[in-house]
Amino acid sequence: MGPGLHPHTLPSPPKTHKLNRDQLFHPKGNLHFFKSQFLTRLPYPSGSYAGKTIIVTGSNTGLGLEAARHFVRLGCSRMILAVRNTSKGALAKSSIEKSTKCSPDTISVWELDQCSYSSVQSFASRASTELDRVDILLLNAGVCPLTGPWKYYEQDEECITVNVVSTFLLAFLVYPKLRATARLFPDSSPTVTVVTSLAHTYTDFYLSRPSPPNQIFASLSSRNRPEATLDDHADQYFISKLLQIFLVRAWAERCPVAKTGVTINCVQPGFVKSGLFKFDGSLMVAVAGVMQWVLARGTEGGSRCLVNAAGWGMGEGKGGKGENSHGKYLSDCRVEEPSELVTGEEGKVLQERIWEELRGKLEGWWRGW
Ligand SMILES: NC(=O)c1ccc[n+]([C@@H]2O[C@H](COP(=O)([O-])OP(=O)(O)OC[C@H]3O[C@@H](n4cnc5c(N)ncnc54)[C@H](OP(=O)(O)O)[C@@H]3O)[C@@H](O)[C@H]2O)c1
């Protein structure tokens, strides 16, 4: 931090909280985006996951389903599909079984609803007691509401509860199992991967940055407006993805691989055709749908990024086993820098504030390690 800079009086550019179109349509950003979407060949996942136990959240559909399919095709011994709707999970299980011809006891469907901390806690305690090991925890479940009034679950707006607080509560509760896996199975390279987004670069986080101590989460949820616009919703989603990156970095700094044996990273899968955007017939959402149809890559293509990140320590990474992805942001199957807001001086301050606030929120649910 520079001299005289105080965490709560950081200079905030006079920007609006709206979707930052200058940034979104910045020529450099465009070039990067189009190159990534249309010119980059993502490696088809290979290698063996024999003996590995893998948990994928939000795996009944979209990126999570296709990532789980890859891991099962590559021979993982146990795949836990963590889903909020077990009927949809059962359909996903049979779809993977049909396409991979895996044995029927490879895949289990377990209930997990990230709108509820107690569901997250039940899932984590089941993982701790019923699984011998956890090699990969792929935290993919997420929401991106685009219309309607803010919805609240637990203490926060839906996007923040599902994408951020519950994602990290689950990660922290299952983490001891990954550490035990690293100790008990020296050939394992346990990894926690959080699925974030390039969209973290589209927000200036203006409304929340100047908030008083311990009020970042509160300020995000108090932005409630019954007539919330598409911009409001989109910005909230972008911020949720930004918070994920801050938290991965803060956590990774505190828990180095040399001490724990566990890699913690995050990945952005590009713009992907999936059910993430729920269309409601409004013009703006229809426009977003057309953009997705024209620009987005297929879910299988996007899922390669997830498998690459989560399997990095198992040889998927660019440099193979040994190259470090701990605390890193992966994009197009390689390490990239997240936004300047994350990597700059202000980011260091925000990272610590967000980490401490999350710890405070989780008191009573998670006691630290
Ligand atoms: N698609 C993209 O362009 C894109 C780009 C960057 C990042 N991402 C990220 O990729 C991840 C997967 O998204 P996707 O594109 O594959 O979208 P998707 O098809 O909508 O999949 C999202 C998954 O999350 C689950 N989920 C939602 N709320 C949940 C909750 N409360 N508890 C447990 N599970 C819940 C969904 O379950 P239900 O089926 O029951 O709703 C679904 O399985 C998300 O984190 C998203 O932010 C996507």
Side-chain angles (χ1 to χ4, degrees):
M1 205 182 349
L5 272 180
H6 183 273
H8 314 303
T9 55
L10 286 164
S12 300
K15 292 178 182 170
T16 74
H17 67 286
K18 290 191 171 180
L19 178 63
N20 187 340
R21 291 190 174 80
D22 289 348
Q23 218 171 346
L24 184 57
F25 296 115
H26 188 279
K28 198 173 158 206
N30 268 345
L31 284 180
H32 185 274
F33 174 76
F34 285 110
K35 183 166 168 257
S36 166
Q37 290 295 123
F38 297 113
L39 299 178
T40 304
R41 278 195 61 222
L42 301 169
Y44 193 67
S46 58
S48 169
Y49 289 82
K52 310 289 185 203
T53 295
I54 299 175
I55 300 172
V56 185
T57 68
S59 41
N60 55 289
T61 187
L63 287 162
L65 170 61
E66 294 312 318
R69 197 189 304 281
H70 276 304
F71 286 126
V72 174
R73 174 181 62 77
L74 296 171
C76 74
S77 298
R78 273 206 88 173
M79 167 57 66
I80 310 295
L81 302 180
V83 298
R84 65 172 158 177
N85 181 324
T86 49
S87 312
K88 287 189 193 170
L91 287 175
K93 172 176 153 77
S94 56
S95 158
I96 299 174
E97 285 172 351
K98 207 168 152 196
S99 63
T100 63
K101 314 251 179 311
C102 67
S103 101
D105 54 2
T106 305
I107 305 173
S108 308
V109 177
W110 289 11
E111 190 173 338
L112 168 71
D113 182 357
Q114 293 190 188
C115 288
S116 152
Y117 294 170
S118 63
S119 172
V120 171
Q121 197 176 44
S122 306
F123 181 94
S125 72
R126 188 172 178 193
S128 307
T129 50
E130 290 185 29
L131 300 176
D132 298 335
R133 59 191 287 168
V134 175
D135 297 274
I136 290 176
L137 175 61
L138 179 52
L139 297 161
N140 161 79
V143 285
C144 179
L146 290 179
T147 53
W150 256 211
K151 286 191 203 143
Y152 286 86
Y153 295 96
E154 299 294 353
Q155 305 149 355
D156 295 285
E157 181 277 330
E158 180 181 16
C159 232
I160 302 300
T161 296
V162 173
N163 298 359
V164 185
V165 186
S166 286
T167 293
F168 284 89
L169 175 60
L170 180 63
F172 297 161
L173 293 174
V174 180
Y175 182 62
K177 193 78 194 181
L178 282 101
R179 288 188 66 164
T181 303
R183 271 197 313 277
L184 296 171
F185 304 96
D187 65 328
S188 66
S189 304
T191 303
V192 182
T193 295
V194 177
V195 181
T196 182
S197 174
L198 179 67
H200 81 276
T201 61
Y202 302 160
T203 181
D204 54 27
F205 201 28
Y206 169 66
L207 272 191
S208 302
R209 274 193 285 167
S211 59
N214 212 25
Q215 291 295 314
I216 288 182
F217 282 90
S219 74
L220 283 170
S221 288
S222 67
R223 305 201 302 164
N224 183 27
R225 287 203 272 150
E227 70 286 9
T229 63
L230 179 66
D231 274 355
D232 295 332
H233 281 296
D235 196 45
Q236 189 84 340
Y237 173 74
F238 302 159
I239 290 173
S240 75
K241 294 288 148 182
L242 178 68
L243 296 187
Q244 289 180 328
I245 298 173
F246 277 128
L247 289 166
V248 161
R249 290 164 71 94
W251 183 16
E253 277 174 19
R254 285 162 174 82
C255 296
V257 188
K259 200 170 137 205
T260 65
V262 179
T263 297
I264 300 157
N265 63 27
C266 59
V267 60
Q268 79 88 10
F271 189 25
V272 178
K273 293 185 177 80
S274 75
L276 191 63
F277 311 119
K278 306 282 182 269
F279 301 118
D280 65 348
S282 71
L283 181 64
M284 286 310 285
V285 181
V287 169
V290 172
M291 278 174 64
Q292 190 183 44
W293 186 71
V294 174
L295 297 174
R297 49 174 67 134
T299 31
E300 187 283 314
S303 77
R304 296 181 192 187
C305 298
L306 275 59
V307 175
N308 180 272
W312 191 278
M314 287 151 235
E316 285 287 350
K318 197 170 166 228
K321 206 170 167 84
E323 188 175 329
N324 193 357
S325 70
H326 190 59
K328 300 282 170 51
Y329 168 81
L330 304 171
S331 172
D332 288 341
C333 301
R334 58 175 180 263
V335 172
E336 280 191 3
E337 286 288 287
S339 70
E340 281 170 27
L341 177 57
V342 176
T343 56
E345 284 299 299
E346 187 177 2
K348 287 183 197 156
V349 177
L350 284 168
Q351 183 176 302
E352 292 313 295
R353 288 187 64 191
I354 291 160
W355 175 261
E356 288 308 324
E357 276 202 35
L358 182 75
R359 280 190 65 106
K361 286 178 83 60
L362 294 182
E363 251 172 46
W365 295 94
W366 170 65
R367 292 190 209 301
W369 302 290

